[in-house]
Structures are given as C-alpha cells and as structure tokens.
Amino acid sequence: LNGHSDVLAGALACRDADAPLWQRILKERGEGGALPGPFEAWLLQRGMRTLFVRMQRASASALYIAQQLQSHPALSVVHYPGLESHPGHAIARRQMHNGFANMLSIEVRGGAQAALRVSGALRVFSRATSLGGVESLVEHRASIEGADSPIPQNLLRLSIGIEHVDDLLADLLAALEQATA
C-alpha cells in the first residue's frame, strides 16, 4: 500500500467478531502491542495517495510483459491472470476491473539453476522479497522457502514496478538470453 518499501504494516479482518481465532488475534495484538507508530501510519497514508496510479501503471506493464514472454522459448509457462491462457482468467476478468495486478511468475526451462542464472543476470530488477513497491523485483521463492517448498524450483516471481515497461522487458529478454544460452 505504501509503495516506497519503507513501512511494515498490515491489516487483519474477520467476518465473525466472536470467532475464537479472532479473539486470540485481538488478545495477542493487545498484549504484544502490534500497532504501527504515528510515523509509520503517516508513511503509509502518504504512500496510499499514489496507490491507484502506481497500480494502474504496474498492472499495465505486467500485462504487457506477460504477453511478450508467454511464447518465449526459454520459458515453460508464464503465470498471470491477465493472460487468456491462465486457468483463472475468466474469474480475474470478472473481478479485476482496473487491471490484473503487478505480480506474475515465470518458469524457466532448465530447472533451478537456470532460474537462478536469469535472476542473477537481471540489471533493472532487484533481487528482493516484497510486493507493490515502485521498483521491480525478482524472487526465486523456492530458495527462500527451503527444501520442502511446494513452489517449482524453476519459478521466478516478478513484482512489476513503475519503471518504463520497455526497460523492464529488455532486461528480462537480455537475462533470459544470457542465462539460457
């Protein structure tokens, strides 16, 4: 929500305020003091002012990148709900009225090592774990989750930021060519 990657905050919601789990969460929050301070709240509010334009730009860029990559020979699949080939596309089209969001995943042919080479060859994307910032990020999720991760070893998760889409696509294409040559 903040968009500047300088606030750690979140929200929890529950349909039933009397649910035992919700009551445990409220107790933990009350005892642990899991509330943002005034400065963090201000940072979050400041960033939320640009949320719509950031997400509009990032969503449009993610769709374009997914479309351009979906037939790339170095990739076995592109996961993005904005693609007609995505199994959840019909639902996404009904529910997502202002774009299909900024997150997509690609599966690199050649397994984990090929995916890590692609990740390491990127220059515009930063290797980091986050969502929705102004910068574009790449993450090899299976490495972060560990050996028991159900995530495919060849999967890279991309969080598309607000950089120029041509720069992002050129970076991805160059990394795919360099790392899979």
Side-chain angles (χ1 to χ4, degrees):
L1 294 175
N2 165 268
H4 299 282
S5 303
D6 57 5
V7 174
L8 182 61
L12 292 171
C14 182
R15 182 178 58 181
D16 180 5
D18 296 325
L21 178 59
W22 184 246
Q23 292 304 312
R24 285 185 22 224
I25 290 169
L26 290 178
K27 183 175 188 247
E28 182 69 29
R29 184 182 132 211
E31 291 174 359
L35 298 169
F39 182 66
E40 289 78 13
W42 176 81
L43 287 173
L44 185 60
Q45 179 186 23
R46 176 202 64 182
M48 288 175 61
R49 292 179 184 137
T50 61
L51 178 63
F52 179 76
V53 293
R54 286 186 287 113
M55 290 310 300
Q56 187 176 41
R57 168 79 175 255
S59 293
S61 293
L63 175 60
Y64 181 75
I65 289 167
Q67 290 170 333
Q68 298 305 306
L69 293 180
Q70 68 181 336
S71 61
H72 196 285
L75 301 176
S76 57
V77 67
V78 174
H79 301 279
Y80 186 69
L83 295 176
E84 290 184 14
S85 60
H86 190 277
H89 179 72
I91 293 170
R93 195 175 59 243
R94 281 196 317 270
Q95 294 178 347
M96 304 170 97
H97 301 287
N98 293 308
F100 296 98
N102 70 319
M103 300 299 300
L104 66 121
S105 295
I106 57 176
E107 291 190 40
V108 181
R109 293 187 194 279
Q113 291 309 311
L116 290 168
R117 284 193 306 272
V118 171
S119 175
L122 291 166
R123 298 293 170 248
V124 178
F125 285 78
S126 297
R127 286 190 278 183
T129 300
S130 189
L131 312 170
V134 295
E135 63 282 334
S136 292
L137 306 174
V138 61
E139 168 189 73
H140 184 250
R141 188 79 209 152
S143 292
I144 293 164
E145 291 188 8
D148 295 333
S149 175
I151 303 297
Q153 293 294 312
N154 65 333
L155 186 135
L156 294 176
R157 184 176 82 167
L158 306 174
S159 176
I160 305 300
I162 63 170
E163 303 92 344
H164 197 285
V165 70
D166 291 341
D167 295 336
L168 296 172
L169 183 59
D171 191 34
L172 284 163
L173 293 173
L176 286 166
E177 184 174 330
Q178 177 185 339
T180 59

Short mmCIF file of all heavy atoms in Angstrom, two decimals, residues 130-167:
data_model
loop_
_atom_site.label_atom_id
_atom_site.label_comp_id
_atom_site.label_asym_id
_atom_site.label_seq_id
_atom_site.Cartn_x
_atom_site.Cartn_y
_atom_site.Cartn_z
N SER A 130 9.26 -8.57 -1.83
CA SER A 130 8.32 -7.52 -1.46
C SER A 130 7.25 -7.47 -2.53
O SER A 130 7.36 -8.10 -3.58
CB SER A 130 9.02 -6.16 -1.34
OG SER A 130 8.13 -5.22 -0.79
N LEU A 131 6.24 -6.71 -2.28
CA LEU A 131 5.13 -6.56 -3.23
C LEU A 131 4.76 -5.09 -3.33
O LEU A 131 4.74 -4.38 -2.33
CB LEU A 131 3.90 -7.33 -2.75
CG LEU A 131 4.08 -8.76 -2.30
CD1 LEU A 131 2.81 -9.26 -1.62
CD2 LEU A 131 4.41 -9.63 -3.48
N GLY A 132 4.44 -4.63 -4.51
CA GLY A 132 3.80 -3.35 -4.68
C GLY A 132 4.64 -2.10 -4.50
O GLY A 132 4.10 -1.02 -4.38
N GLY A 133 5.96 -2.22 -4.50
CA GLY A 133 6.79 -1.02 -4.42
C GLY A 133 6.91 -0.37 -5.78
O GLY A 133 6.42 -0.87 -6.79
N VAL A 134 7.60 0.75 -5.83
CA VAL A 134 7.78 1.43 -7.11
C VAL A 134 8.86 0.77 -7.95
O VAL A 134 8.93 0.97 -9.15
CB VAL A 134 8.11 2.94 -6.92
CG1 VAL A 134 6.93 3.66 -6.30
CG2 VAL A 134 9.36 3.13 -6.08
N GLU A 135 9.70 -0.05 -7.31
CA GLU A 135 10.77 -0.73 -8.03
C GLU A 135 10.35 -2.14 -8.39
O GLU A 135 9.56 -2.77 -7.69
CB GLU A 135 12.04 -0.77 -7.20
CG GLU A 135 11.94 -1.54 -5.90
CD GLU A 135 11.25 -0.82 -4.76
OE1 GLU A 135 11.26 0.42 -4.75
OE2 GLU A 135 10.69 -1.51 -3.89
N SER A 136 10.88 -2.65 -9.50
CA SER A 136 10.58 -4.01 -9.93
C SER A 136 11.53 -4.98 -9.23
O SER A 136 12.73 -4.71 -9.11
CB SER A 136 10.71 -4.14 -11.44
OG SER A 136 9.68 -3.40 -12.06
N LEU A 137 10.96 -6.10 -8.78
CA LEU A 137 11.72 -7.08 -8.01
C LEU A 137 11.57 -8.46 -8.61
O LEU A 137 10.57 -8.78 -9.23
CB LEU A 137 11.21 -7.11 -6.56
CG LEU A 137 11.18 -5.78 -5.82
CD1 LEU A 137 10.52 -5.95 -4.46
CD2 LEU A 137 12.57 -5.21 -5.68
N VAL A 138 12.59 -9.29 -8.40
CA VAL A 138 12.55 -10.69 -8.79
C VAL A 138 12.90 -11.53 -7.57
O VAL A 138 13.74 -11.13 -6.75
CB VAL A 138 13.50 -11.00 -9.97
CG1 VAL A 138 14.94 -10.71 -9.61
CG2 VAL A 138 13.34 -12.44 -10.46
N GLU A 139 12.25 -12.69 -7.45
CA GLU A 139 12.49 -13.55 -6.31
C GLU A 139 12.43 -15.01 -6.76
O GLU A 139 11.53 -15.41 -7.49
CB GLU A 139 11.40 -13.29 -5.27
CG GLU A 139 11.33 -14.29 -4.17
CD GLU A 139 10.10 -14.09 -3.32
OE1 GLU A 139 8.99 -14.42 -3.75
OE2 GLU A 139 10.27 -13.60 -2.19
N HIS A 140 13.41 -15.78 -6.32
CA HIS A 140 13.37 -17.23 -6.50
C HIS A 140 12.77 -17.78 -5.22
O HIS A 140 13.48 -18.07 -4.24
CB HIS A 140 14.77 -17.79 -6.77
CG HIS A 140 14.77 -19.25 -7.04
ND1 HIS A 140 15.28 -20.17 -6.15
CD2 HIS A 140 14.29 -19.96 -8.09
CE1 HIS A 140 15.13 -21.38 -6.66
NE2 HIS A 140 14.54 -21.29 -7.83
N ARG A 141 11.46 -17.89 -5.19
CA ARG A 141 10.71 -18.21 -3.98
C ARG A 141 11.12 -19.53 -3.35
O ARG A 141 11.16 -19.67 -2.12
CB ARG A 141 9.22 -18.22 -4.31
CG ARG A 141 8.33 -18.33 -3.11
CD ARG A 141 8.20 -17.00 -2.42
NE ARG A 141 7.97 -17.24 -1.01
CZ ARG A 141 8.31 -16.43 -0.04
NH1 ARG A 141 8.88 -15.29 -0.32
NH2 ARG A 141 8.08 -16.70 1.20
N ALA A 142 11.41 -20.54 -4.17
CA ALA A 142 11.78 -21.85 -3.61
C ALA A 142 13.03 -21.77 -2.75
O ALA A 142 13.15 -22.46 -1.74
CB ALA A 142 11.96 -22.87 -4.74
N SER A 143 13.97 -20.90 -3.11
CA SER A 143 15.18 -20.73 -2.30
C SER A 143 14.86 -20.15 -0.93
O SER A 143 15.47 -20.49 0.07
CB SER A 143 16.17 -19.80 -3.00
OG SER A 143 16.68 -20.39 -4.15
N ILE A 144 13.90 -19.26 -0.92
CA ILE A 144 13.54 -18.60 0.33
C ILE A 144 12.77 -19.54 1.25
O ILE A 144 12.97 -19.56 2.45
CB ILE A 144 12.73 -17.32 0.03
CG1 ILE A 144 13.65 -16.32 -0.66
CG2 ILE A 144 12.10 -16.72 1.27
CD1 ILE A 144 12.96 -15.21 -1.36
N GLU A 145 11.89 -20.35 0.65
CA GLU A 145 11.08 -21.26 1.45
C GLU A 145 11.82 -22.49 1.92
O GLU A 145 11.43 -23.11 2.88
CB GLU A 145 9.82 -21.65 0.67
CG GLU A 145 8.87 -20.49 0.51
CD GLU A 145 7.55 -20.91 -0.10
OE1 GLU A 145 7.30 -22.12 -0.27
OE2 GLU A 145 6.76 -20.00 -0.41
N GLY A 146 12.86 -22.89 1.20
CA GLY A 146 13.65 -24.03 1.62
C GLY A 146 13.32 -25.31 0.87
O GLY A 146 12.49 -25.34 -0.03
N ALA A 147 13.97 -26.38 1.29
CA ALA A 147 13.92 -27.66 0.57
C ALA A 147 12.52 -28.26 0.49
O ALA A 147 12.21 -28.98 -0.45
CB ALA A 147 14.87 -28.65 1.23
N ASP A 148 11.67 -27.99 1.45
CA ASP A 148 10.33 -28.57 1.46
C ASP A 148 9.30 -27.72 0.72
O ASP A 148 8.11 -28.02 0.77
CB ASP A 148 9.85 -28.79 2.90
CG ASP A 148 10.70 -29.82 3.63
OD1 ASP A 148 11.27 -30.70 2.95
OD2 ASP A 148 10.79 -29.73 4.86
N SER A 149 9.74 -26.68 0.04
CA SER A 149 8.82 -25.78 -0.63
C SER A 149 8.07 -26.49 -1.76
O SER A 149 8.67 -27.21 -2.56
CB SER A 149 9.59 -24.59 -1.24
OG SER A 149 8.70 -23.78 -1.99
N PRO A 150 6.76 -26.26 -1.85
CA PRO A 150 6.00 -26.82 -2.97
C PRO A 150 6.14 -25.97 -4.25
O PRO A 150 5.65 -26.37 -5.30
CB PRO A 150 4.56 -26.80 -2.46
CG PRO A 150 4.53 -25.63 -1.52
CD PRO A 150 5.89 -25.60 -0.88
N ILE A 151 6.81 -24.84 -4.15
CA ILE A 151 7.00 -23.96 -5.29
C ILE A 151 7.94 -24.63 -6.29
O ILE A 151 8.97 -25.17 -5.90
CB ILE A 151 7.61 -22.60 -4.84
CG1 ILE A 151 6.73 -21.93 -3.79
CG2 ILE A 151 7.86 -21.68 -6.02
CD1 ILE A 151 5.36 -21.54 -4.24
N PRO A 152 7.60 -24.60 -7.59
CA PRO A 152 8.51 -25.18 -8.58
C PRO A 152 9.90 -24.55 -8.49
O PRO A 152 10.04 -23.34 -8.35
CB PRO A 152 7.84 -24.86 -9.91
CG PRO A 152 6.40 -24.65 -9.58
CD PRO A 152 6.38 -24.06 -8.20
N GLN A 153 10.92 -25.38 -8.57
CA GLN A 153 12.30 -24.91 -8.44
C GLN A 153 12.71 -23.95 -9.55
O GLN A 153 13.66 -23.19 -9.40
CB GLN A 153 13.25 -26.11 -8.40
CG GLN A 153 13.10 -26.96 -7.16
CD GLN A 153 13.52 -26.22 -5.91
OE1 GLN A 153 14.58 -25.60 -5.86
NE2 GLN A 153 12.68 -26.24 -4.89
N ASN A 154 12.02 -23.97 -10.67
CA ASN A 154 12.38 -23.13 -11.81
C ASN A 154 11.55 -21.85 -11.87
O ASN A 154 11.64 -21.09 -12.83
CB ASN A 154 12.22 -23.90 -13.11
CG ASN A 154 10.79 -24.29 -13.39
OD1 ASN A 154 9.98 -24.45 -12.48
ND2 ASN A 154 10.46 -24.44 -14.66
N LEU A 155 10.76 -21.57 -10.84
CA LEU A 155 9.85 -20.43 -10.86
C LEU A 155 10.51 -19.17 -10.31
O LEU A 155 11.14 -19.20 -9.26
CB LEU A 155 8.60 -20.74 -10.03
CG LEU A 155 7.51 -19.68 -10.08
CD1 LEU A 155 6.16 -20.34 -10.30
CD2 LEU A 155 7.49 -18.86 -8.81
N LEU A 156 10.34 -18.08 -11.05
CA LEU A 156 10.74 -16.75 -10.58
C LEU A 156 9.48 -15.92 -10.43
O LEU A 156 8.64 -15.87 -11.34
CB LEU A 156 11.68 -16.07 -11.57
CG LEU A 156 13.05 -16.70 -11.75
CD1 LEU A 156 13.83 -15.97 -12.85
CD2 LEU A 156 13.84 -16.69 -10.44
N ARG A 157 9.35 -15.25 -9.30
CA ARG A 157 8.22 -14.36 -9.06
C ARG A 157 8.67 -12.94 -9.36
O ARG A 157 9.71 -12.49 -8.86
CB ARG A 157 7.73 -14.47 -7.62
CG ARG A 157 6.48 -13.64 -7.35
CD ARG A 157 5.99 -13.84 -5.96
NE ARG A 157 6.75 -12.99 -5.06
CZ ARG A 157 6.41 -12.73 -3.80
NH1 ARG A 157 5.35 -13.30 -3.28
NH2 ARG A 157 7.14 -11.95 -3.05
N LEU A 158 7.90 -12.23 -10.16
CA LEU A 158 8.22 -10.86 -10.53
C LEU A 158 7.18 -9.91 -9.96
O LEU A 158 5.99 -10.12 -10.12
CB LEU A 158 8.25 -10.70 -12.06
CG LEU A 158 9.14 -11.67 -12.85
CD1 LEU A 158 8.93 -11.48 -14.34
CD2 LEU A 158 10.59 -11.47 -12.47
N SER A 159 7.65 -8.89 -9.28
CA SER A 159 6.79 -7.80 -8.83
C SER A 159 7.14 -6.61 -9.71
O SER A 159 8.25 -6.07 -9.63
CB SER A 159 7.06 -7.48 -7.35
OG SER A 159 6.30 -6.35 -6.95
N ILE A 160 6.22 -6.23 -10.58
CA ILE A 160 6.48 -5.18 -11.55
C ILE A 160 6.24 -3.81 -10.91
O ILE A 160 5.18 -3.57 -10.32
CB ILE A 160 5.60 -5.36 -12.80
CG1 ILE A 160 5.78 -6.76 -13.40
CG2 ILE A 160 5.88 -4.27 -13.83
CD1 ILE A 160 7.19 -7.08 -13.84
N GLY A 161 7.20 -2.94 -11.06
CA GLY A 161 7.10 -1.59 -10.51
C GLY A 161 6.67 -0.58 -11.56
O GLY A 161 5.97 -0.92 -12.51
N ILE A 162 7.14 0.65 -11.41
CA ILE A 162 6.68 1.72 -12.31
C ILE A 162 7.75 2.18 -13.29
O ILE A 162 7.56 3.18 -13.98
CB ILE A 162 6.14 2.93 -11.51
CG1 ILE A 162 7.23 3.56 -10.65
CG2 ILE A 162 4.93 2.51 -10.67
CD1 ILE A 162 6.83 4.89 -10.03
N GLU A 163 8.84 1.44 -13.40
CA GLU A 163 9.86 1.79 -14.39
C GLU A 163 9.24 1.68 -15.79
O GLU A 163 8.18 1.08 -15.97
CB GLU A 163 11.07 0.85 -14.31
CG GLU A 163 11.74 0.80 -12.96
CD GLU A 163 11.21 -0.29 -12.06
OE1 GLU A 163 10.13 -0.85 -12.33
OE2 GLU A 163 11.88 -0.60 -11.07
N HIS A 164 9.91 2.23 -16.78
CA HIS A 164 9.38 2.15 -18.15
C HIS A 164 9.31 0.69 -18.57
O HIS A 164 10.28 -0.07 -18.41
CB HIS A 164 10.25 2.95 -19.12
CG HIS A 164 9.55 3.24 -20.39
ND1 HIS A 164 9.37 2.28 -21.36
CD2 HIS A 164 8.97 4.37 -20.85
CE1 HIS A 164 8.72 2.80 -22.38
NE2 HIS A 164 8.45 4.07 -22.09
N VAL A 165 8.18 0.29 -19.12
CA VAL A 165 7.95 -1.10 -19.49
C VAL A 165 8.98 -1.61 -20.50
O VAL A 165 9.37 -2.78 -20.45
CB VAL A 165 6.50 -1.33 -19.97
CG1 VAL A 165 6.25 -0.66 -21.32
CG2 VAL A 165 6.18 -2.81 -20.02
N ASP A 166 9.44 -0.75 -21.40
CA ASP A 166 10.45 -1.19 -22.38
C ASP A 166 11.76 -1.55 -21.70
O ASP A 166 12.44 -2.49 -22.12
CB ASP A 166 10.69 -0.11 -23.43
CG ASP A 166 9.49 0.09 -24.34
OD1 ASP A 166 8.62 -0.80 -24.42
OD2 ASP A 166 9.41 1.17 -24.98
N ASP A 167 12.12 -0.82 -20.64
CA ASP A 167 13.34 -1.13 -19.89
C ASP A 167 13.21 -2.47 -19.17
O ASP A 167 14.15 -3.27 -19.14
CB ASP A 167 13.67 -0.03 -18.89
CG ASP A 167 14.01 1.29 -19.55
OD1 ASP A 167 14.44 1.29 -20.71
OD2 ASP A 167 13.83 2.34 -18.88
#
